[in-house]
Amino acid sequence: MLLQRFFSYYRPYKGLFILDFSCAIVAALIELAFPLVLNKVIDDILPDGELKWIVMASLLLLLLYIFNSILDFTVSYWGHMLGINIETDMRKESFSHVQKLSFRYFDNNKTGHLVSRLTNDLMDIGELAHHGPEDMFIATMTIIGSFGVMFYIDPTFTLLIFILVPIILLLTIIFGKLMSKAFRQMFGDIADFNARVENNVSGIRVVQAFTNEEHEIKRFKVNNNRFRATKLFSYKVMAWNEAISGILTKVLSLFTLFVGAYFVLQGQLTNGEFIAFILLSGILLGPINKINMFIETYPKGMAGFKRYIDFLETAPEIADRPEAKNIEVIEGDITFNNVSFGYTDKERTLNNIHLKVRPGETVALVGPSGAGKSTICSLLPRFYEVSEGTIKIDGIDIRDFKLQSLRAHIGIVQQDVFLFDGTVRENIAYGDLQASEEDIWHAARRAQLEEVINALPEGMDTLIGERGVKLSGGQKQRLSIARIFLKNPKILILDEATSALDTETEKAIQQALNELSIGRTTLVIAHRLATIKDADRIVVVSKKGIIEEGTHDELMNIQNAYYGLYTAQFGLQI
């Protein structure tokens, strides 16, 4: 089943596969023809003493060598193109699959493991795709062909030589199984190694801030040594395989030389036939070496392919229903009806949430950390799937929207802004990839970013570094707001968008957010309660669910949960 799945990737490249395979077969046949031609030259042409026939035979051999070189080039270049094409298709398929996976998958899997699947695994699969079927078929055909030609020349001598071949092949299979086990372990270690490096590089500022470089080096050393040990074991197996195979193949050559010389002395073989046998035994070593190489390539390639298939078969937790539709226009009416959710099956984060948000209304979610405010907002764009209950927009279950359609109507501004390594323009344009230059600038002005851009060395074309490292916190936040202005969604989620900023910057960002909220249904998560005093409604969320809601003045008057949060934050005595 796995092999059938593997060979399905050859279908788009049938022509290339046939070209590669055909050239390899013809090249193998020509190689078998060399000893026969040489046999005729030594036994028939040389004794006649006719120089012109010797010259013609030599020219024929030269032409065969040239033609064989052309075939070898074709097999090497176009065959590798076949492997690269398959590898590229697999990489595209796996990257596309990454885009479909839900947040829960990334919560539970390391980035380094994903990178390993997209790089190391697929490179070995590409090599197997090129060399695997071709080498095995050609090796088998060459062994059978060599046996046939040898048997035609002298059956007894041939049978004596072929006693050693099964022994060599048996050892090859045994070592192949050992290498398969070693390479499976090595792929896992490579993934862990990549994850450790990625984790360290991403958090290098934290590492250096806490002066924990030595601690990180020790942790890296564990992964590095484990990777080293596994790799050494795999190469030890390979070395034993090569050493024993090398001894046996040399024994085969010496055996051919000794027995052949004896048969010549006994008059059972001619000189030409003896030379042909020596050449054919050398040719016979070629396919045995190919099988050895295949035994090395196959475990690595198939271990990588197995991991690749396992990854592709990881079903996206969040997917479109068959009857899901594209909803082009929405009003922004949101209803949470008896919604419960847990990140694991053992524990619920939300229980029986009932919440209605009218079109154009701004609703603030407040409460202690861990109460589920961000979780409520993550359920709306279906980053996670509700465990129970329904969420509706304009009376339509969000699961009846196509995912792309649903998320197109929702804009999110978070505290932890993610920016791509590129220019200011590219990051703003991420909100609408078809936006014009005028639209991009208009969004920047509305986000109060114009002065910042003009002050940058290259304006819109300034490179901001990985995750926007060259910008301040306020500049990053404005850029993310400009991106949302460009997207122009009907529903807006502000997840503690100003909590990490200084007071002056916060006021400027708050002005931009206030403008952004105009005409949009807005959910605001805030710890700084002063920023949400003017919200149309404030909802207090606890681990028990929603415990109260109303305007700022209403909630302060009833002196309950919100009153406690507000007075605790500002030290008021009312």
Side-chain angles (χ1 to χ4, degrees), residues 330-337 354-361 363 376-377 379-381 390-396 398 406 409-410 490-493 520-523 537:
I330 65 168
E331 293 297 319
D333 181 84
I334 302 170
T335 305
F336 285 75
N337 184 29
H354 293 271
L355 177 64
K356 184 167 179 60
V357 185
R358 295 183 296 275
E361 186 180 20
V363 173
I376 290 172
C377 293
L379 292 175
L380 184 60
T390 58
I391 303 174
K392 293 183 178 181
I393 296 176
D394 295 353
I396 304 169
I398 59 172
L406 172 67
H409 294 303
I410 301 173
K490 194 65 180 178
I491 296 172
L492 185 62
I493 296 172
R520 308 177 203 275
T521 304
T522 306
L523 294 176
R537 189 153 40 103

Side-chain angles (χ1 to χ4, degrees), residues 534-561:
D534 297 327
D536 297 319
R537 189 153 40 103
I538 297 169
V539 174
V540 182
V541 184
S542 76
K543 291 187 178 181
K544 295 179 181 179
I546 293 174
I547 54 175
E548 63 183 33
E549 55 182 292
T551 65
H552 170 76
D553 291 337
E554 289 170 349
L555 295 178
M556 290 298 288
N557 286 335
I558 63 174
Q559 297 191 10
N560 203 336

Side-chain angles (χ1 to χ4, degrees), residues 365-374 496 525-527 529 539-545 547 561 565:
L365 303 176
V366 301
S369 296
K373 304 182 297 296
S374 294
E496 301 187 48
I525 299 171
H527 279 141
L529 302 183
V539 174
V540 182
V541 184
S542 76
K543 291 187 178 181
K544 295 179 181 179
I547 54 175
L565 290 170

Side-chain angles (χ1 to χ4, degrees), residues 31 135-136 138-140 142-143 146 169 249 252-253 279-294:
E31 195 170 7
D135 282 2
M136 280 305 293
I138 300 303
T140 304
T142 305
I143 289 172
S146 298
L169 292 175
T249 51
L252 180 65
S253 298
L279 290 176
L280 285 165
S281 68
I283 291 171
L284 191 61
L285 297 178
I288 291 172
N289 289 332
K290 279 186 183 292
I291 292 171
N292 269 333
M293 289 172 63
F294 176 77

Side-chain angles (χ1 to χ4, degrees), residues 200-212:
N200 178 267
V201 172
S202 298
I204 193 66
R205 286 168 177 77
V206 176
V207 172
Q208 293 183 355
F210 284 89
T211 64
N212 279 336

Side-chain angles (χ1 to χ4, degrees), residues 292-307:
N292 269 333
M293 289 172 63
F294 176 77
I295 292 299
E296 292 176 15
T297 306
Y298 181 82
K300 285 197 288 185
M302 289 313 290
F305 187 68
K306 179 68 168 63
R307 281 163 52 85

